[in-house]
Amino acid sequence: MSDTTRQAPSPADVASMARPRPTADGRSVEAVTAVPAIEVTGAQALVLSLEAIGCDTVFGIPGGAILPAYDPMLDSKKVRHILVRHEQGAGHAAEGYAAATGKVGVCMATSGPGATNLVTPLADAHMDSVPVVAITGQVASAAIGTDAFQEADIRGITMPITKHNYLVTDPARIPQAIAEAFHVASTGRPGPVLVDISKDALQSRTRFTWPPQIDLPGYRPVLRPHGKQIREASRLMAAARRPVLYVGGGVVRAGASEALRRLVELTQIPVVTTLMARGTVPDSNPLNLGMPGMHGTVAAVTALQKSDLIIALGARFDDRVTGQLSTFAPEAKVVHADIDPAEISKNRIADVPIVGDAGEVIKDLIEQVTLDRATAEAGAWDFAAWRERVAEWKATFPLGWTESEDGTLSPQYVIERIGALSGPEATYVAGVGQHQMWAAQFVHYERPNAWINSGGLGTMGFSVPAAMGAKVAEPERTVWAIDGDGCFQMTNQELATCVINNIPVKVAIINNSSLGMVRQWQTLFYNERYSNTDLQPMSQRVPDFVKLADAYGCLGLRAETPEEVEAVIKQALETNDRPVVIDFIVHRDAMVWPMVPAGVSNDMIQAARHEAPVWERED
């Protein structure tokens, strides 16, 4: 037979022809062995492309427009498909997979409502710079624009919330679109890419070869920083007296945590790690002041406010960190390094702008600082007095909580014990709200990627499916989904996915019978008028989460007193043959402290309710 007429091999056969190899940055994948031209359907070309580029897991749900792709996927021995219960779960699972490993997460859905159900996780991934490729089916090309059954312009819908997206109607372009999508998602500032493929393109025949030619003439991320800017940054660091390293999630995405730790050790500059950067510097490091922002530590917020130089690495000066922007760090000069030039000076004007990959920036800073310190004049690089001052703030205002007067369970105690008993090698995935802040505060993080959450978009329902994705990516790790009873009820159906696919995540429901963070704001700012935040009366269990867990085939446990907490956590840690769900019944009116109310100056940080702002009591 000639190449044009021979029968197409299965995806498993072709996979043996192409061996994927990660690039140096560990985030993108390229094929190093060519695949000879073969005749296949567009659907087969899609599966072969996923195999050749190194994709090993797809989270998704089939439907009419994407159905042609599911037939060859059945034959693939390289790509594992995990059937979720909702497309939003597929998207968040892809995010969890990507956040745990730095690899590209992949999700798949059909046209219309299947595709639109991916909008929230795509927006979430876009805000938090998570590398995700979403593959969606589209109605036949001849029907596009006719309001055909289950048609939606998902490319237009997702244009503002993706790095790039494609509508593919020619089966010959499928390999190129997949290769480009993975490249764009994983390079530069990571983010989501959507590939929408018409049904007739999946059904039509084409010639498949690998690797395809990537044609992205306008896409040239700047990785290496300019030497002049690095030298100027080092000069400002030497001259500073109150510098702070302000570290964001960009350092995590760049895989630059080890380099950052060397920079901290070299300079001895105090460091704050944002919500997205927890673990980049170990909490055990005395120079780590913790998390800044609305619910950050007093030491972190105060250090930024009093600093004379901020070295921002992979951070974007978002409103939750700065508070009232006009009053943020009024005496500080700013060195701002980010791979995305659009972020630099977007909110706070940078005195020294540096465009580049965080790992490259930090490496060059280490070299320049080492050189400059060797020839420095007396007094330069001396931050001893500043370190002593921030250490005093850290000691004076440690994180803590007040036990409830009625003896009910403190949520902070529950989360602290989960972290202490599970250890730093576990992965902790949070939903959004009070439990998210407590998990960021009271679990000690010693490594990057141990903390996964929805930071920018603040997506309720993120935790369970994202934990599922993280566990698939790293099955040897203990993975906790720390969730609220409100968040849990948005995506708990993915427990069925976990049971059927042997994904033994552990779920801690911090159950205060309410939408806790909203209730906290109603307590503080709306005269305790609790409009539509109580999910159930405290005397009832609607639903009973233990029974719900049992119905899904999980182990369901409950703790209502401090004496019961450690026993159920230990039982969960010893159970690895199925998911575990623990219903922790906690005090309803526990609050997240410290707190800077929205829109006010960080000078107004309060360590606890009814206390005066820190500035009125100290300094």
Side-chain angles (χ1 to χ4, degrees):
M1 287 184 186
S2 69
D3 283 345
T4 58
T5 59
R6 65 188 174 126
Q7 182 178 359
S10 70
D13 294 332
V14 174
S16 66
M17 306 177 192
R19 292 289 184 263
R21 173 175 63 85
T23 59
D25 65 8
R27 289 176 288 166
S28 61
V29 181
E30 60 183 4
V32 295
T33 303
V35 177
I38 54 175
E39 187 175 340
V40 295
T41 65
Q44 289 173 315
L46 171 62
V47 177
L48 294 174
S49 298
L50 291 173
E51 290 184 337
I53 209 161
C55 171
D56 56 25
T57 306
V58 174
F59 302 92
I61 301 179
I66 197 66
L67 194 57
Y70 274 81
D71 184 66
M73 195 175 297
L74 188 64
D75 298 324
S76 177
K77 293 181 173 59
K78 295 290 184 180
V79 179
R80 176 190 185 189
H81 182 275
I82 295 177
L83 177 63
V84 298
R85 296 306 183 264
H86 192 283
E87 290 89 355
Q88 182 180 354
H92 291 321
E95 286 188 273
Y97 177 99
T101 63
K103 296 170 61 178
V104 176
V106 182
C107 54
M108 187 175 287
T110 195
S111 63
T116 58
N117 281 342
L118 290 176
V119 168
T120 295
L122 287 173
D124 192 273
H126 189 253
M127 288 284 280
D128 287 345
S129 305
V130 182
V132 168
V133 169
I135 300 167
T136 54
Q138 184 55 274
V139 299
S141 55
I144 292 175
T146 69
D147 292 332
F149 176 68
Q150 289 193 334
E151 181 187 0
D153 178 13
I154 195 61
R155 187 184 186 201
I157 290 169
T158 61
M159 195 168 288
I161 56 170
T162 53
K163 276 189 74 175
H164 192 52
N165 57 27
Y166 296 83
L167 172 59
V168 182
T169 57
D170 178 358
R173 289 202 61 242
I174 290 174
Q176 179 184 358
I178 293 298
E180 290 181 359
F182 273 72
H183 177 71
V184 171
S186 60
T187 57
R189 178 178 181 170
V193 178
L194 177 108
V195 182
D196 194 33
I197 310 174
S198 66
K199 187 172 184 178
D200 56 315
L202 292 170
Q203 292 172 322
S204 300
R205 300 193 72 79
T206 186
R207 290 174 61 81
F208 173 81
T209 60
W210 192 271
Q213 182 176 355
I214 292 179
D215 183 24
L216 295 166
Y219 182 67
R220 294 288 185 271
V222 176
L223 301 181
R224 292 300 307 273
H226 196 287
K228 179 181 178 182
Q229 303 302 85
I230 293 292
R231 291 191 294 274
E232 182 63 14
S234 180
R235 187 189 69 79
L236 288 182
M237 291 162 72
R241 290 294 175 265
R242 303 186 304 278
V244 176
L245 287 163
Y246 163 37
V247 178
V251 173
V252 178
R253 299 291 181 249
S257 297
E258 282 302 317
L260 173 67
R261 296 177 190 198
R262 293 196 298 273
L263 180 65
V264 173
E265 185 65 25
L266 173 66
T267 62
Q268 291 294 293
I269 293 175
V271 58
V272 301
T273 56
T274 68
L275 180 68
M276 298 304 298
R278 301 287 287 114
T280 50
V281 175
D283 283 345
S284 56
N285 189 321
L287 289 171
N288 188 350
L289 305 182
M291 183 174 70
M294 176 177 281
H295 295 295
T297 66
V298 170
V301 174
T302 306
L304 285 173
Q305 284 300 100
K306 289 292 189 180
S307 66
D308 64 358
L309 177 66
I310 294 175
I311 306 102
L313 303 171
R316 56 191 180 89
F317 291 89
D318 68 286
D319 62 293
R320 283 303 191 256
V321 167
T322 66
Q324 187 181 57
L325 188 60
S326 61
T327 64
F328 175 70
E331 300 174 14
K333 292 184 176 180
V334 172
V335 174
H336 191 180
D338 201 287
I339 198 165
D340 184 355
E343 289 295 348
I344 295 176
S345 296
K346 183 179 76 175
N347 295 325
R348 173 68 177 258
I349 300 299
D351 297 278
V352 180
I354 304 176
V355 178
D357 177 82
E360 297 291 338
V361 170
I362 294 170
K363 183 188 73 173
D364 287 3
L365 276 175
I366 289 173
E367 292 176 359
Q368 188 65 46
V369 167
T370 301
L371 180 65
D372 289 350
R373 282 167 61 94
T375 58
E377 297 179 358
W381 300 98
D382 182 6
F383 313 128
W386 174 238
R387 286 195 298 272
E388 182 177 337
R389 191 178 185 191
V390 298
E392 183 178 345
W393 290 328
K394 191 174 179 180
T396 304
F397 300 103
L399 288 171
W401 66 89
T402 302
E403 299 291 347
S404 60
E405 295 180 358
D406 59 5
T408 52
L409 192 55
S410 296
Q412 301 96 324
Y413 172 73
V414 170
I415 292 171
E416 187 276 330
R417 297 316 299 158
I418 289 173
L421 294 172
S422 303
E425 291 305 310
T427 298
Y428 305 87
V429 186
V432 170
Q434 288 181 314
H435 63 279
Q436 175 191 27
M437 294 297 105
W438 289 321
Q441 291 174 332
F442 294 107
V443 175
H444 291 283
Y445 297 100
E446 298 293 309
R447 65 177 183 88
N449 303 318
W451 164 246
I452 299 172
N453 80 125
S454 170
L457 197 64
T459 304
M460 292 181 67
F462 175 86
S463 181
V464 171
M468 176 176 70
K471 184 67 173 177
V472 170
E474 297 185 309
E476 74 285 355
R477 289 196 190 275
T478 296
V479 177
W480 280 96
I482 299 177
D483 224 351
D485 49 319
C487 286
F488 178 72
Q489 292 183 76
M490 292 189 173
T491 52
N492 65 55
Q493 68 272 7
E494 299 308 336
L495 289 174
T497 309
C498 292
V499 169
I500 291 170
N501 291 279
N502 189 30
I503 307 170
V505 298
K506 306 180 194 307
V507 182
I509 305 173
I510 309 302
N511 185 356
N512 59 6
S513 299
S514 65
L515 300 173
M517 187 62 85
V518 184
R519 182 183 173 87
Q520 174 169 333
W521 281 52
Q522 288 174 334
T523 300
L524 296 174
F525 309 120
Y526 291 88
N527 298 317
E528 300 183 3
R529 289 168 54 83
Y530 300 118
S531 174
N532 292 284
T533 46
D534 293 341
L535 294 172
Q536 62 181 352
M538 291 293 285
S539 59
Q540 290 183 275
R541 291 178 178 143
V542 183
D544 186 317
F545 291 128
V546 173
K547 291 180 179 178
L548 182 67
D550 291 341
Y552 273 124
C554 306
L555 172 61
L557 304 170
R558 179 175 288 118
E560 300 185 65
T561 66
E563 294 73 26
E564 296 171 323
V565 169
E566 291 213 11
V568 293
I569 294 173
K570 289 177 179 177
Q571 188 175 351
L573 292 173
E574 293 166 359
T575 303
N576 294 302
D577 61 342
R578 52 181 165 156
V580 181
V581 178
I582 309 176
D583 184 17
F584 291 102
I585 309 298
V586 301
H587 183 56
R588 190 172 216 165
D589 289 313
M591 292 195 186
V592 182
W593 299 109
M595 181 176 180
V596 179
V600 306
S601 170
N602 280 352
D603 290 344
M604 300 301 292
I605 187 171
Q606 292 181 302
R609 187 183 180 188
H610 303 313
E611 289 188 349
V614 168
W615 298 129
E616 295 181 13
R617 293 178 282 126
E618 194 266 340
D619 194 43

